[in-house]
Every structure is written in structure tokens, then in C-alpha cells.
Amino acid sequence: MAPNASTSTAVAAAAAAVIALYWRRRRKDRWEAMLDRALPAIVVIRVNYVKPFDGEQAGSAHATGFVVDFDRGLILTNRHVIGTGPIRAEATFVSKEEVPLTPVYRD
């Protein structure tokens, strides 16, 4: 018994759906693996600025940064986050661990 055109089309469509599902899952697996590697290095930075001059108010800000050297405890962020004056800052990791920050370098 020879297969008819509708049976062949249905088999081809099912095969295409299985292949598409395989590739979607493979992309998702690679994406999840990349996130598992990257997320532990990303931090939320909370900064409190002192009152710089009379009449101006102290401020606070939230920003992001990422760990560039875990052994030395270096986190990189933008200069405007840290500012030029004294600050109190802390970083929060995705694990909810909080660590105090001290500016090391401002460009």
C-alpha cells in the first residue's frame, strides 16, 4: 500500500515539529547554562551619598555592577554610581548576600 500525499505531509510536519522542539530546547539549555554562569557575578549596588554642601540634600541610588576579580573582591560599575565624594555602599548578590563596598579607583 503506497502512502498518499496527506500521510507524507503529516509525517513531514511531525518530523519538523520534533526537530524544532529539539532546537528550541537546546537553545534554552545553552541560555540557562550561560545564566547559571553569569548571574553569580552580577550585583545590585546601593549607594548613599553624604550631604555635599549646605542647602543640598544627601542622596541615594541603585545601580548594577559585576565581579571582575573574585579573589581581590573587585566589582566594576560606572563612575557616576560612586561619584567623587564620600559614600556608603553595599552590593547584593543574586544569592541575597550583602557585602560593604569601598571605592578603590575613580577614573
Side-chain angles (χ1 to χ4, degrees):
M1 183 165 148
N4 62 29
S6 64
T7 303
S8 296
T9 304
V11 169
V18 168
I19 291 169
L21 180 62
Y22 167 77
W23 284 109
R24 272 196 303 268
R25 183 65 198 162
R26 185 170 174 184
R27 281 195 304 269
K28 184 178 178 185
D29 290 344
R30 289 190 305 193
W31 175 250
E32 288 173 351
M34 186 278 306
L35 288 176
D36 288 343
R37 290 183 58 208
L39 284 178
I42 299 171
V43 297
V44 174
I45 299 172
R46 185 172 53 239
V47 182
N48 292 311
Y49 304 98
V50 298
K51 184 176 178 178
F53 299 105
D54 288 338
E56 293 187 29
Q57 296 183 2
S60 64
H62 287 82
T64 57
F66 57 93
V67 177
V68 293
D69 190 330
F70 181 79
D71 294 332
R72 295 191 304 181
L74 295 177
I75 296 173
L76 184 66
T77 190
N78 293 316
R79 181 181 182 268
H80 70 270
V81 173
I82 301 304
T84 57
I87 62 164
R88 297 201 83 161
E90 61 184 30
T92 305
F93 289 85
V94 71
S95 65
K96 307 293 188 233
E97 177 185 2
E98 295 180 352
V99 294
L101 299 178
T102 303
V104 176
Y105 177 76
R106 295 179 181 109
D107 183 67

